[in-house]
Amino acid sequence: MALQLVVLAAGEGTRMLSDRPKVLHEVAHAPLLHHALRAGLALGPARVALVVGHGGAAVGAAAREIVPEAAVVTQEERLGTAHAVSVALPEIAGAGGDTLVLYADTPFLREETLSAMQAARAQHDVVVLGFEAADPGRYGRLVQAADGTLERIVEWKDATEAERAVRLCNSGVICCATALLEELLPQIGNANASGEYYLTDIVGLARAGGLSCGVVRCDEAETLGVNSRADLARAEAAFQARARAGALETGATLTAPETVHFAHDTVLGRDVEVEPMVVFGPGVTVETGARIRAFSHLEGCHVSAGAVIGPYARLRPGAEIGEDARIGNFVEVKAAEIGAGAKVNHLTYIGDAEVGAGANIGAGTVTCNYDGVSKHRTVIGERAFIGSDTMLVAPVRVGAEAVTGSGSVVTRDVEAGALALGRARQETRPGLGRRLMERLRAARAERG
Ligand code: UD1
Ligand code: MG
């Protein structure tokens, strides 16, 4: 059955004390909004409507980056969750099927949970996602009938002491026929303790109309909402814990899992080994059997099977590391292909470059890629040997099996098999070193 998705993001997020809209704060290098949409989008909705608040242009733009066809509607006045959904109603009205309402600040809902809600629609007209709260606090409470069906939802402010004692809480996620939403939303009033239009009132209204309402339960961790910086930090920790467990489950070795930081989209193959203190930024894939050694930082890169990265390596966006290649300590690689078996082992910058298979890049080599205005490419052929401390002033090409002398500044192309030397010739003056030192020491003794 067709599904419409309504995502509420009009909240002000005051408790974040931020100039940035709350749902654009990031967990694992992706905005909360991205996480919140993930499970809903996995169900393949026909339409997606996002409700943003006043000044929500940035949120809307971020949503369209994730779902280009999303409708972004503005709720000028924040009059409650039912009001927010009614603002989105024109975008889904008549689309039929079911509508699922989600919050944009709830990042961890699982696709399986939402599927279970869809499945429960076979038994109930309205399905609400509930959870047993360790500390129910101010959540809305789910009041069940004797047969376990849902009778109504009562907001904390409006609840009696007996109702507040209920531990089963409302997550806010709700699913029903789009047509039913169209019918019931206009009937919701605001005569309650907050003077708000509560979406939760839809349950009581449906029951009064002889319809059936049910609860699908999930773990409290899944409904974790983010309202403060502390919540954001907790959400990050929860994400990292799951990502580490996931990596172990899929056959990666993490010697100190709690010190490895993942991004939302990190992919590790089987038998990948990750040493302590490694940070993955967004867009990293590491293939089978590669080894990421301690204190390395990787983002936007691809590491092929059998490669060894680090310790203390930095792979930046566009780094493509070939099979069995070696990237050693204090090496930075950006927008560069490193061929199979090539070695870049020490203190080197390779940017906007191509390094052929089996090439050896000596310590301290720099591809001088930037002239202050534009970037230029360096191309190094297969099995080339770049001597230590070579400055490759791009654009420049070094052919296959060519050699550059240590300390060379290479400004012109080097043909295959050639030796390029670009450095001052050495002069040696016998005895002058010792005499110079003696003179300096004598001068100091005189000064006292
Ligand atoms: C809501 C539920 C409560 C539930 C809790 C779970 C209602 C009436 N109450 O309460 O039962 O336990 O969530 O976290 O639905 N929003 C708008 N426009 C508005 C109001 C809210 O877009 O006018 C959005 C917010 O940005 C947020 C979500 O709706 O993403 C929930 O709003 P919030 O104010 O946090 O509702 P609660 O009072 O926490
Ligand atoms: Mg809330």
Side-chain angles (χ1 to χ4, degrees):
M1 199 204 297
L3 181 74
Q4 326 305 332
L5 204 62
V6 173
V7 183
L8 305 188
E12 283 168 9
T14 3
R15 282 202 278 147
M16 295 297 285
L17 302 177
S18 176
D19 294 331
R20 201 197 304 190
K22 175 167 79 173
V23 299
L24 298 187
H25 282 264
E26 295 189 345
V27 164
H29 296 282
L32 285 172
L33 179 66
H34 167 101
H35 293 276
L37 283 169
R38 186 181 32 82
L41 292 178
L43 303 180
R47 296 190 191 177
V48 178
L50 179 79
V51 182
V52 299
H54 185 70
V59 178
R64 287 212 185 88
E65 260 178 46
I66 306 166
V67 198
E69 65 280 9
V72 179
V73 291
T74 305
Q75 184 192 22
E76 290 292 348
E77 261 188 303
R78 225 173 149 268
L79 302 179
T81 44
H83 179 255
V85 176
S86 66
V87 170
L89 207 51
E91 302 299 332
I92 55 165
D98 275 1
T99 291
L100 182 72
V101 179
L102 302 175
Y103 296 167
D105 59 1
T106 305
F108 295 136
L109 284 175
R110 291 180 316 131
E111 181 190 345
E112 293 82 349
T113 301
L114 299 184
S115 301
M117 290 183 72
Q118 279 190 301
R121 278 273 298 110
Q123 289 90 49
H124 303 288
D125 298 291
V126 177
V127 176
V128 170
L129 183 64
F131 62 101
E132 293 278 349
D135 169 17
R138 289 172 164 258
Y139 286 117
R141 305 298 206 268
L142 301 186
V143 180
Q144 290 170 288
D147 62 0
T149 60
L150 183 59
E151 208 162 72
R152 64 204 159 82
I153 305 179
V154 55
E155 288 305 295
W156 182 83
K157 276 192 186 171
D158 303 290
T160 62
E161 278 310 310
E163 286 165 340
R164 285 181 184 178
V166 172
R167 303 265 309 255
L168 187 60
C169 294
N170 175 30
S171 69
V173 184
I174 195 162
C175 183
C176 69
T178 306
L180 183 64
L181 205 57
E182 290 171 54
E183 181 192 331
L184 296 183
L185 270 182
Q187 298 178 32
I188 294 177
N190 65 350
N192 52 52
S194 312
E196 283 188 10
Y197 295 88
Y198 292 162
L199 180 61
T200 46
D201 282 356
I202 209 169
V203 170
L205 286 170
R207 284 291 283 224
L211 300 177
S212 160
C213 303
V215 183
V216 164
R217 293 171 189 242
C218 72
D219 200 75
E220 182 168 9
E222 245 186 88
T223 68
L224 175 79
V226 173
N227 292 304
S228 63
R229 304 275 179 168
D231 288 345
L232 190 66
R234 263 192 290 278
E236 183 73 43
F239 177 92
Q240 294 300 336
R242 260 207 312 278
R244 290 161 189 152
L248 296 171
E249 269 163 33
T250 53
T253 293
L254 311 182
T255 40
E258 65 287 357
T259 68
V260 176
H261 286 255
F262 289 93
H264 64 102
D265 58 355
T266 308
V267 178
L268 301 186
R270 264 165 90 97
D271 292 316
V272 164
E273 190 183 331
V274 183
E275 290 185 359
M277 309 292 178
V278 169
V279 175
F280 293 101
V284 177
T285 300
V286 182
E287 306 282 356
T288 308
R291 189 163 166 216
I292 313 299
R293 304 207 55 203
F295 298 100
S296 294
H297 189 285
L298 295 79
E299 62 185 314
C301 63
H302 175 243
V303 177
S304 301
V308 180
I309 310 300
Y312 297 100
R314 174 145 188 234
L315 300 186
R316 290 175 52 207
E320 168 70 48
I321 312 300
E323 286 187 16
D324 301 315
R326 296 280 181 279
I327 305 295
N329 38 226
F330 307 107
V331 170
E332 175 180 341
V333 180
K334 183 217 74 166
E337 267 170 58
I338 309 295
K343 290 184 185 146
V344 192
N345 271 333
H346 335 264
L347 302 162
T348 288
Y349 173 66
I350 302 289
D352 302 303
E354 210 177 298
V355 173
N360 190 307
I361 310 295
T365 294
V366 173
T367 53
C368 309
N369 59 331
Y370 186 48
D371 57 17
V373 177
S374 310
K375 301 281 174 65
H376 303 281
R377 280 185 76 72
T378 300
V379 179
I380 297 168
E382 294 185 359
R383 297 175 302 285
F385 183 94
I386 305 299
S388 292
D389 195 31
T390 297
M391 298 296 118
L392 297 156
V393 182
V396 71
R397 306 174 74 91
V398 176
E401 293 174 6
V403 174
T404 70
S406 297
S408 289
V409 178
V410 177
T411 54
R412 280 174 293 156
D413 289 357
V414 180
E415 71 196 60
L419 165 68
L421 289 171
R423 61 192 187 198
R425 193 171 285 279
Q426 179 173 335
E427 275 184 53
T428 309
R429 309 275 175 84
L432 184 56
R434 193 177 301 122
R435 287 206 302 279
L436 180 64
M437 283 303 155
E438 281 164 2
R439 211 182 300 152
L440 291 173
R441 284 190 198 103
R444 189 177 62 186
E446 228 166 86
R447 285 197 308 270

